[in-house]
């Protein structure tokens, strides 16, 4: 049984940093495309970042480029999302997702099979 568990969310002031973790059981994340998504109240879910298996190609939404960094810890079977220079508009529930098919270009945030339950990130002064 595949399970993804996000952690690391919380309340931060603008300009602060958080590191989200996506821990997996039942799959080895190195072999999966891992995406981070977020959904703010009243808004549609949007893709934030994606890292592919093998070549570790990475994609970021324009809204987070230069501020967020996705990375893997293969030994721990965890994928991280380091979020710096947080803004109030980053407030959302953040989800990680996994899929066995690599995602490239415009497909970076499409069709993921497995999803976590989400972790709340609130950026407010």
């Amino acid at each position: 049984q595949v399970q993804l568990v996000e952690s690391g969310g919380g309340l931060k002031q603008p300009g602060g940093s958080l590191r989200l973790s996506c821990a997996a059981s039942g799959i080895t994340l190195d072999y999966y495309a891992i995406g981070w998504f977020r959904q703010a109240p009243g808004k549609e879910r949007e893709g934030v970042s994606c890292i592919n298996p093998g070549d570790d190609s990475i994609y970021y939404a324009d809204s987070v480029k230069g501020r967020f960094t996705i990375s893997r810890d293969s030994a721990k079977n965890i994928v991280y999302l380091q979020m710096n220079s947080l803004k109030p508009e980053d407030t959302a529930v953040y989800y990680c997702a996994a899929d066995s098919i690599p995602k490239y270009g415009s497909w970076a945030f499409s069709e993921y099979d497995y999803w976590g339950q989400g972790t709340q990130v609130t950026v407010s002064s």
Side-chain angles (χ1 to χ4, degrees):
Q1 182 178 359
V2 177
Q3 189 174 18
L4 302 177
V5 178
E6 303 94 336
S7 61
L11 173 63
K12 281 290 182 178
Q13 291 188 341
S17 297
L18 280 173
R19 188 177 75 165
L20 305 184
S21 299
C22 175
S25 59
I27 59 172
T28 301
L29 294 182
D30 280 357
Y31 304 128
Y32 283 75
I34 307 301
W36 281 99
F37 296 77
R38 66 187 181 187
Q39 188 165 21
K43 295 188 176 181
E44 292 188 355
R45 186 178 65 202
E46 65 171 338
V48 173
S49 184
C50 162
I51 184 168
N52 276 309
D55 63 3
D56 273 355
S57 54
I58 287 173
Y59 297 87
Y60 296 102
D62 288 343
S63 58
V64 306
K65 280 181 183 176
R67 300 188 298 121
F68 289 12
T69 303
I70 192 170
S71 63
R72 297 180 188 273
D73 185 329
S74 298
K76 295 181 178 179
N77 205 28
I78 293 176
V79 170
Y80 298 106
L81 184 69
Q82 178 68 42
M83 306 188 298
N84 299 329
S85 302
L86 285 165
K87 303 176 180 180
E89 51 264 42
D90 294 320
T91 296
V93 177
Y94 283 71
Y95 302 88
C96 67
D99 196 85
S100 60
I101 298 174
K103 314 292 183 184
Y104 294 103
S106 60
W107 295 95
F109 302 118
S110 299
E111 300 182 10
Y112 283 76
D113 282 341
Y114 306 109
W115 291 82
Q117 83 291 345
T119 185
Q120 176 70 47
V121 172
T122 303
V123 184
S124 175
S125 54

